[in-house]
Amino acid sequence: MAKPLSATKMLSALRAEGVQAKEYRSWRTHNRNAVGAWGGVNGVLIHHTAGRDSLRLCYEGRSDLPGPLCHTHLAKDGTATMVGHGRANHAGRAAANAFNAVVAESSKHPRPSASSGTVDGNQHFYGLEIENLGTKGDPYPAVQYDAAVRWAAAICRAHGWGADSVVGHKETSVEGKPDPSFDMNRFRRDVAARLRGPAGGGTTPDEELDMDKSDVFAAVWKQDKAPAPSSSSTLEQNPTWQPINMMRELYDRVHELKAEVRELRSDVAQIAELAKKEG
């Protein structure tokens, strides 16, 4: 059990790890400390938002669940926005058997069991909400996943914890929470790999998650971000193209050129034949 990081130390730790962290409203004093204890802290809890454009919700909360709903909101582009410091409404009741595994930094994280008793997770866990629907059709971009690994590693490094202090909400919840929608064992391996090196260094392996071949195809070939050819007649109105459209355009042009070459060859052959006759 450790004393929670101050707002300044937490922000410094995240930035030193390479997290693009920014401050939001009065996050440094935004918490639920008036209704319960904050700390000692024992670990890091990972969530997905199950919605879009969730930053304001993470800060303000709902009528039945006041904010902050985490400590940091992580956008698709990897921006980590600080929304709270102190107790936050994110973890709820954690199964005692799961919590004890975190405290012991066990490499085995048991299925959460309500029969083992419960612990006030909001008191003991830092929380990250990753912007994601939690469905197979909504992948985690590499930059976002990398930022999540760095966020978890930064807090673990600051406290001297190992990667087994990092768990998903689905690994602690007695209510059957499903988040995050990626494999936590893989996530912990990536956090451990980062902790073996210096803060802020390298890139995170296995960055793209929950993506089958069709997801990868769409993410690469259907991103409308490739600069349009300078010869494009619509360059001003349409400055970026999908790579797949460029490939189609290239194929069509090659097909047309082949047809033109065949016609030219035919014309050349006819001219050569006429030359023979006239000669």
Side-chain angles (χ1 to χ4, degrees):
M1 188 175 293
K3 180 180 178 180
L5 299 172
S6 68
T8 298
K9 286 184 178 179
M10 184 173 180
L11 193 61
S12 295
L14 294 177
R15 288 175 173 168
E17 200 70 43
V19 178
Q20 301 302 308
K22 71 175 187 178
E23 303 181 71
Y24 187 71
R25 293 164 63 175
S26 57
W27 78 275
R28 290 172 179 264
T29 56
H30 187 47
N31 55 59
R32 299 292 296 160
N33 293 1
V35 298
W38 166 234
V41 286
N42 298 91
V44 171
L45 198 62
I46 307 297
H47 308 261
H48 68 237
T49 62
R52 300 190 190 278
D53 301 320
S54 304
L55 174 57
R56 182 175 176 180
L57 175 64
C58 285
Y59 183 88
E60 296 180 354
R62 310 187 304 262
S63 59
D64 62 326
L65 190 67
L69 302 186
C70 59
H71 296 98
T72 309
H73 170 274
L74 185 59
K76 288 284 191 182
D77 66 359
T79 301
T81 304
M82 312 304 293
V83 297
H85 178 259
R87 183 184 177 90
N89 278 331
H90 70 103
R93 306 303 298 178
N97 67 325
F99 176 76
N100 290 338
V102 174
V103 173
E105 290 197 291
S106 171
S107 60
K108 295 182 180 179
H109 294 272
R111 184 184 298 275
S113 171
S115 64
S116 69
T118 61
V119 175
D120 180 3
N122 294 334
Q123 177 181 351
H124 299 291
F125 286 108
Y126 295 95
L128 175 69
E129 282 282 359
I130 306 173
E131 186 83 18
N132 191 274
L133 295 177
T135 62
K136 192 170 183 62
D138 188 17
Y140 297 82
V143 67
Q144 185 185 40
Y145 178 74
D146 180 65
V149 171
R150 289 173 183 268
W151 186 91
I155 295 174
C156 288
R157 196 186 299 276
H159 283 295
W161 297 336
D164 284 309
S165 290
V166 181
V167 284
H169 199 191
K170 62 188 175 185
E171 296 180 301
T172 65
S173 172
V174 295
E175 300 169 340
K177 298 292 185 179
D179 54 318
S181 57
F182 51 71
D183 186 299
M184 282 303 302
N185 288 321
R186 174 189 277 181
F187 188 81
R188 279 187 286 269
R189 287 196 297 271
D190 291 339
V191 172
R194 175 157 293 287
L195 289 173
R196 286 194 291 270
T203 57
T204 299
D206 299 325
E207 292 170 327
E208 293 288 357
L209 294 181
D210 294 338
M211 297 179 75
D212 59 20
K213 290 180 179 179
S214 61
D215 293 331
V216 174
F217 176 86
V220 174
W221 290 102
K222 293 189 175 182
Q223 285 287 323
D224 186 15
K225 292 184 179 181
S230 58
S231 60
S232 171
S233 60
T234 61
L235 181 62
E236 186 173 341
Q237 299 89 353
N238 188 30
T240 58
W241 288 12
Q242 293 182 3
I244 191 63
N245 289 339
M246 287 188 170
M247 292 295 291
R248 290 194 185 103
E249 178 80 6
L250 180 61
Y251 177 86
D252 289 342
R253 289 298 299 139
V254 169
H255 186 72
E256 291 172 3
L257 287 171
K258 284 182 176 180
E260 291 174 4
V261 168
R262 285 194 297 269
E263 290 179 6
L264 286 171
R265 285 176 176 171
S266 177
D267 291 343
V268 168
Q270 291 179 21
I271 293 171
E273 188 64 29
L274 286 172
K276 286 180 181 180
K277 291 179 179 180
E278 293 179 1

